[in-house]
Amino acid sequence: MSVKRYLDQRYMNKQEEIRQLKQEKDAVLLAHYYVDEEVQKIADYVGDSFYLSKIASSLNNRTLVFCGVSFMGESGKLLSPEKTVLMPDASADCPMAHMVSKAEIDEARSKYDDLAVVCYINSTAEVKTWADVCVTSANAVKIVRNLPNKNILFIPDKNLGRYVKQQVPEKNVMLVKGYCPIHEFIKPEEIKALKQKYPKALVLAHPECNAQVLEMADYIGSTSGILSKAKESDANAFIIATEVGVRYELQVQNPDKQFYFPETLPVCTDMKKITLDKIIEVLKTGENAADVVKAHVEPAKATLTRMLELAK
Ligand code: 13P
Ligand code: SF4
């Protein structure tokens, strides 16, 4: 048997094992666009953070397997406390989720009576308890614009926060210093070089990118937004400033279009920790169930349900 045939067979066997385990455990697989292609291929639902949080709260299955990082599993558990939420790798975490302190929030609250603390969903459950409402990159501008408050503290992502501030100039949006290490370090000179090489290509960027990259963008949006833009656009070539996992779905939806990523590939090593073997393992053992400290459940959940309401 050729090596390729052997690997294809092994992949099919794992797919089959996952299918059977899902049935046995009444489980569904939810995956973010940044996980490996082979995981996206077998997932029941693939999407951006907003889509995944919405879908998690609407499913009837007993078990959700969250193929992503820990804040996604925590959000799933907060919105569906009666379900078992399994994380294929318990160490897959988003570094940005921790990049803000309670002291920063207390200081802002002491200065502004009408302050709204707006928290990116890429945050721990504890960080969410300090906030008034959650947002994702797909709805942050809309939610901040529609809040009655004039003074907004946006946590923890300074890049998404700065983008929101530009889009909603009528508000006083204050920022902290958190960032996504993958998007923050996409090099503007590499995007510039791609623009020179492919002058007709449109630059589609995630708002977690640094300011210099966003200044070069023709479109700024969440991973789902980038996918929609690529599909509906008449252009045939695109420079993509986000994590490379999105390439799989871009190519599935647009087999005749070209997608160029920065030479230093943006790879989220935490998202890439999710493998088929780990999915099989948690489905078999029930290990790595997401859990939230009891005191955090109600206040953290309130920020997510408020987001789901305000995003309608
Ligand atoms: P979206 O899923 O909102 O596009 O955010 C990207 C991200 O960094 C998730 O970790
Ligand atoms: Fe966090 Fe960035 Fe990875 Fe998303 S891509 S999980 S924001 S480190």
Side-chain angles (χ1 to χ4, degrees):
M1 194 190 285
S2 72
V3 174
K4 183 177 177 320
R5 229 174 116 214
Y6 168 75
L7 291 175
D8 285 350
Q9 189 59 50
R10 216 170 59 156
Y11 180 62
M12 272 154 51
N13 292 347
K14 286 180 189 175
Q15 270 185 315
E16 186 46 37
E17 192 171 0
I18 290 173
R19 237 191 306 273
Q20 282 175 13
L21 284 163
K22 277 196 316 186
Q23 239 176 1
E24 245 172 66
K25 313 276 173 176
D26 186 22
V28 277
L29 263 56
L30 289 81
H32 192 274
Y33 288 124
Y34 293 164
V35 298
D36 263 335
E37 175 179 324
E38 62 172 23
V39 176
Q40 291 189 49
K41 276 185 193 158
I42 54 132
D44 299 287
Y45 301 94
V46 186
D48 69 359
S49 308
F50 182 48
Y51 171 80
L52 294 176
S53 62
K54 265 193 312 185
I55 203 84
S57 60
S58 72
L59 294 169
N60 291 323
N61 305 72
R62 225 172 40 227
T63 304
L64 308 181
V65 182
F66 249 95
C67 303
V69 291
S70 53
F71 76 81
M72 297 178 169
E74 277 183 355
S75 300
K77 184 69 184 170
L78 286 166
L79 290 166
S80 308
E82 71 293 352
K83 288 178 194 153
T84 301
V85 177
L86 299 176
M87 303 305 292
D89 188 316
S91 74
D93 194 10
C94 171
M96 176 164 64
H98 307 267
M99 291 186 189
V100 62
S101 70
K102 177 77 162 48
E104 291 171 282
I105 287 141
D106 290 345
E107 195 191 336
R109 286 214 194 269
S110 73
K111 283 191 191 147
Y112 300 93
D113 286 342
D114 79 323
L115 189 79
V117 178
V118 176
C119 181
Y120 193 20
I121 198 167
N122 297 38
S123 50
T124 65
E126 183 182 20
V127 168
K128 289 182 178 73
T129 68
W130 306 333
D132 298 296
V133 63
C134 253
V135 294
T136 73
S137 58
N139 57 36
V141 169
K142 176 177 172 181
I143 290 180
V144 169
R145 187 174 285 140
N146 291 336
L147 283 174
N149 318 58
K150 165 105 176 129
N151 293 299
I152 309 285
L153 179 67
F154 193 97
I155 60 171
D157 187 6
K158 65 175 181 180
N159 289 316
L160 177 61
R162 187 194 55 249
Y163 174 67
V164 171
K165 187 177 170 70
Q166 286 163 354
Q167 299 299 306
V168 193
E170 66 275 21
K171 303 236 169 176
N172 176 30
V173 179
M174 292 161 273
L175 310 175
V176 292
K177 294 197 174 107
Y179 59 87
C180 160
I182 317 307
H183 289 85
E184 168 77 356
F185 298 119
I186 291 181
K187 295 188 177 120
E189 58 275 22
E190 291 187 6
I191 301 294
K192 206 168 154 195
L194 284 169
K195 271 168 78 77
Q196 276 160 1
K197 196 164 172 196
Y198 306 106
K200 289 192 179 148
L202 294 186
V203 178
L204 313 184
H206 197 283
E208 288 175 14
C209 292
N210 63 63
Q212 286 162 289
V213 167
L214 292 190
E215 272 161 29
M216 284 185 269
D218 297 292
Y219 171 82
I220 298 170
S222 73
T223 43
S224 295
I226 288 173
L227 278 154
S228 306
K229 188 73 191 172
K231 195 170 180 186
E232 77 200 18
S233 169
D234 292 334
N236 285 319
F238 302 88
I239 295 160
I240 306 294
T242 192
E243 211 274 351
V244 69
V246 81
R247 173 150 61 192
Y248 169 66
E249 189 60 27
L250 281 167
Q251 256 152 11
V252 168
Q253 292 189 15
N254 310 278
D256 300 326
K257 296 186 178 181
Q258 302 303 315
F259 299 100
Y260 304 107
F261 282 77
E263 191 182 350
T264 313
L265 266 189
V267 178
C268 177
T269 45
D270 280 276
M271 290 282 192
K272 304 299 188 235
K273 286 178 178 172
I274 312 303
T275 63
L276 299 190
D277 287 326
K278 291 177 189 172
I279 294 170
I280 292 171
E281 185 65 16
V282 292
L283 276 169
K284 275 186 182 162
T285 61
E287 278 168 8
N288 298 351
D291 207 6
V292 176
V293 175
K294 209 167 165 223
H296 297 161
V297 171
E298 280 315 314
K301 183 180 175 182
T303 64
L304 287 167
T305 45
R306 195 167 179 212
M307 171 186 80
L308 293 174
E309 274 304 305
L310 295 176
K312 276 182 188 158

